[in-house]
Amino acid sequence: RARPRLPADVPAVSPFAVVQALRTQTRVDSLAGAELAMVLDRPTWRLRYFTTDAGRVVERRQLADAATGALREPLDRDEAVAAARAAYAGHEAVVGVEALTEANVGGHHEYRGQPLPAWAVRFASPEGATAYVSAELGEVIRIRNDRWRAFDFLWMLHTMDYRGRDDFN
């Protein structure tokens, strides 16, 4: 399905108002980007910023309501399911939802190298479809099914990269 479009006259506060609100909660050293997007049918700012944490520069993400500038939490389980249903063309029931973090993403090689935390939403489809929803970006990053898994397995054999599956060097 196509990404939802924003109306040209969408009322939105400045992303700098969102940065000011964010600065009341955390240190913001610099901005990496600001994107206005539809998240769960609401105009939403997606901010990417850098902060210093224990002497390390870390990239973080923040969602905010575009109309008010109010910061919002990452997508919860129910919101992730709603986003997955909206992006998935099938009509099958959801049969499983799993929170993905650094600690457990290894079992989901289909989501390698993508933003965490995330949600894996499995559908009862004949193709074994799973939608991966980034909690901090508020969007479906990818949908994988059995045909893709077969291709990925063959690609792994072709590249002879049995761990990461993408490095042919």
Side-chain angles (χ1 to χ4, degrees):
R1 294 187 182 173
R3 284 185 171 195
R5 295 183 182 174
L6 284 162
D9 61 348
V10 65
V13 299
S14 163
F16 296 106
V18 176
V19 171
Q20 293 299 55
L22 186 57
R23 281 187 169 152
T24 65
Q25 296 182 1
T26 190
R27 178 182 170 140
V28 178
D29 295 331
S30 61
L31 288 179
E35 176 187 23
L36 187 58
M38 293 296 277
V39 173
L40 301 172
D41 297 327
R42 297 257 330 143
T44 303
W45 281 112
R46 287 185 186 131
L47 260 59
R48 289 185 10 245
Y49 66 97
F50 292 98
T51 187
T52 305
D53 185 13
R56 284 183 27 236
V57 175
V58 179
E59 183 177 351
R60 297 234 169 103
R61 296 168 201 85
Q62 178 66 53
L63 295 174
D65 186 288
T68 65
L71 303 179
R72 63 154 292 156
E73 295 295 317
L75 267 59
D76 63 25
R77 181 187 192 283
D78 293 338
E79 291 171 326
V81 169
R85 283 189 184 281
Y88 180 60
H91 302 290
E92 293 85 8
V94 171
V95 293
V97 180
E98 182 181 357
L100 301 181
T101 63
E102 288 284 341
N104 71 348
V105 74
H108 288 267
H109 66 274
E110 302 166 349
Y111 194 70
R112 60 186 175 266
Q114 299 302 315
L116 292 170
W119 296 92
V121 181
R122 285 185 297 114
F123 293 94
S125 69
E127 303 87 26
T130 300
Y132 292 94
V133 183
S134 169
E136 291 180 337
L137 293 176
E139 71 177 326
V140 173
I141 301 296
R142 55 181 43 143
I143 297 176
R144 296 297 190 227
N145 60 32
D146 290 339
R147 277 183 266 164
W148 181 90
R149 291 176 189 107
F151 166 82
D152 191 51
F153 177 77
L154 294 171
W155 180 254
M156 173 192 68
L157 293 176
H158 173 71
T159 61
M160 294 188 295
D161 179 8
Y162 306 115
R163 284 203 177 136
R165 298 180 181 223
D166 293 325
D167 185 2
F168 54 86
N169 290 317

